[in-house]
Amino acid sequence: MLRSRIVGIGSHAPKRVLTNHDLEKIVETNDEWITSRSGIKERRIAGEDESTSDLAKVATEKALEMAGLKAADVELIVLGTASPDMPLPATACHLQRKIGAKKAAAFDVTAGCSGFVYALSVADKFVKTGAVKNALVVGVEILSKFTNWKDRSTCILFGDGAGTVVLKGEEQPEGKKAKGIFSTHLHSDGDGWDLICIPGGGTVAPQSARVLAENMQYIRMQGKETFKVAVKGLSEVAVEALEANGFTKDEVDHVVAHQANSRIINAVADRLGLPSEKVHVNIDRYGNTSSASIPITLDEAVQAGKVKDGDVILMTAFGAGLTWASALARW
Ligand SMILES: CC(C)(COP(=O)(O)OP(=O)(O)OC[C@H]1O[C@@H](n2cnc3c(N)ncnc32)[C@H](O)[C@@H]1OP(=O)(O)O)[C@@H](O)C(=O)NCCC(=O)NCCS
């Protein structure tokens, strides 16, 4: 049976570090509040001349190197982002040009912070049906450029970064011993669109003096309400992935959850009954990097030698849309 295997992974974050103490000088907040409410200590911020596809390029070149794949041989690029280089064309096409992936089809997927798992799900279908031999799945954001730096309820949360995995089609046995992606599970609920949104700059409210005056070009979030639905969505879709493949929680070696808030991650681990050693957390150093958080977190675990051949990885994400999504894979 043809399955998608993750054969390469890479991540990248911009150099500039913005600490909670730096934020104390910008808005009325403090390190203690941010740390206790979110688990975040610092985040990375892209430079003025750095674009989303620039961050993606660095992460992608590392992933290609690990996979031993040349950019010229890449057949598909699916890129999850909510902070594209520009409204048109797709950031995936900018990345395709910058890495020289001449043969590749390239398009973006927008699913808020679930963008990476949505993109993974799409690319997995192409690979496991044999439509392409390989694919790049990218999660990348520069949300700092869509952040209202006067709004303390959102500007403390987000950070910039990128992560890429290389998928390759490989014949694998049927059943639980197989390596590669077992399944992905996607959900949405547009009724919750206004819990997290950037209301201006699209067709509802095209760029205008009013949009700028009312700060509609920036992220808005209803934090408390989002918190509750995020815990529920992340947990339920994780259980769905286990049940769909006949896995118990004890068979999971690594949980890589979207890094939105350490309290959310802990609540999800509790609901799933999984010990904290299996749950990877790096939100203290990156903040919420939205689509990039899962591939950055997984890459750090891989680079640290924590992910061993044959380990079972459960990914779970939640974001604007609302969207929530999971993936179960054996490394
Ligand atoms: C944003 C979040 C950290 C806020 O934590 P919270 O415990 O819900 O805090 P609240 O928003 O209720 O605010 C509590 C108080 O702190 C204040 N506050 C808000 N931001 C603050 C900040 N940066 N510094 C200090 N005080 C702050 C509020 O004004 C409020 O004061 P009040 O009680 O006098 O009105 C939390 O709601 C969260 O993480 N939500 C989910 C975010 C998320 O996951 N988003 C992306 C999904 S992909």
Side-chain angles (χ1 to χ4, degrees):
M1 172 185 191
L2 194 57
R3 280 196 194 274
S4 314
R5 281 200 69 189
I6 299 174
V7 294
I9 184 162
S11 67
H12 175 66
K15 272 200 207 80
R16 185 177 158 215
V17 175
L18 186 74
T19 65
N20 292 349
H21 294 295
D22 296 328
L23 278 167
E24 287 172 1
K25 294 172 200 139
I26 304 173
V27 285
E28 201 184 319
T29 190
N30 58 76
D31 175 49
E32 199 283 323
W33 192 95
I34 302 172
T35 308
S36 62
R37 299 291 175 120
S38 71
I40 301 166
K41 298 294 286 183
E42 59 186 44
R43 67 289 289 143
R44 302 294 189 89
I45 304 292
E48 260 174 49
D49 55 355
E50 257 175 328
S51 69
T52 306
S53 60
D54 288 337
L55 300 191
K57 176 177 187 276
V58 182
T60 301
E61 285 175 344
K62 290 181 189 171
L64 285 169
E65 192 182 336
M66 179 175 167
L69 183 69
K70 289 195 200 75
D73 295 326
V74 170
E75 297 188 8
L76 176 69
I77 303 172
V78 188
L79 183 146
T81 193
S83 46
D85 279 16
M86 46 185 79
L88 200 69
T91 304
C93 293
H94 288 294
L95 176 64
Q96 182 264 351
R97 165 174 61 84
K98 288 180 182 177
I99 62 171
K102 296 274 184 214
K103 259 197 338 210
F107 59 92
D108 290 357
V109 167
T110 305
C113 301
S114 308
F116 175 77
V117 181
Y118 262 68
L120 184 72
S121 180
V122 173
D124 175 47
K125 309 286 187 293
F126 276 86
V127 173
K128 74 181 183 195
T129 56
V132 297
K133 290 192 189 66
N134 61 59
L136 300 179
V137 182
V138 188
V140 56
E141 303 286 359
I142 301 189
L143 281 174
S144 64
K145 296 191 187 186
F146 292 87
T147 296
N148 180 354
W149 291 99
K150 290 183 177 147
D151 175 9
R152 67 175 184 176
S153 68
T154 54
C155 76
I156 56 137
L157 292 174
F158 299 103
D160 303 333
T164 299
V165 301
V166 180
L167 298 184
K168 192 172 153 228
E170 207 176 278
E171 280 303 326
Q172 286 287 323
E174 299 273 346
K176 289 170 67 173
K177 290 275 172 252
K179 289 178 175 173
I181 296 171
F182 290 111
S183 65
T184 57
H185 304 268
L186 310 182
H187 297 277
S188 73
D189 177 10
D191 285 338
W193 72 270
D194 57 347
L195 290 189
I196 319 163
C197 65
I198 299 174
T203 57
V204 169
Q207 284 301 2
S208 67
R210 184 179 76 91
V211 165
L212 300 181
E214 294 180 14
N215 289 320
M216 292 166 75
Q217 72 276 31
Y218 297 131
I219 298 174
R220 291 185 184 175
M221 195 181 65
Q222 298 174 41
K224 248 193 190 0
E225 293 71 14
T226 305
F227 192 104
K228 286 182 216 146
V229 284
V231 171
K232 186 169 182 289
L234 285 160
S235 314
E236 287 179 2
V237 78
V239 170
E240 186 182 351
L242 294 179
E243 287 179 357
N245 297 287
F247 276 77
T248 65
K249 65 180 171 60
D250 299 330
E251 291 172 288
V252 174
D253 298 297
H254 307 276
V255 177
V256 184
H258 170 48
Q259 310 282 304
N261 183 317
S262 59
R263 290 189 293 136
I264 293 180
I265 300 169
N266 293 340
V268 170
D270 277 356
R271 279 199 182 199
L272 296 176
L274 279 158
S276 56
E277 314 82 83
K278 290 187 176 182
V279 182
H280 296 272
V281 178
N282 62 10
I283 190 168
D284 50 322
R285 286 173 292 121
Y286 295 105
N288 177 349
T289 59
S290 188
S291 294
S293 86
I294 287 181
I296 292 175
T297 309
L298 181 58
D299 183 43
E300 288 201 336
V302 170
Q303 302 310 331
K306 293 178 184 162
V307 181
K308 307 269 186 300
D309 187 41
D311 278 0
V312 173
I313 302 165
L314 176 60
M315 298 174 229
T316 182
F318 185 91
L322 300 169
T323 59
W324 56 107
S326 64
L328 189 72
R330 190 184 290 284
W331 190 254

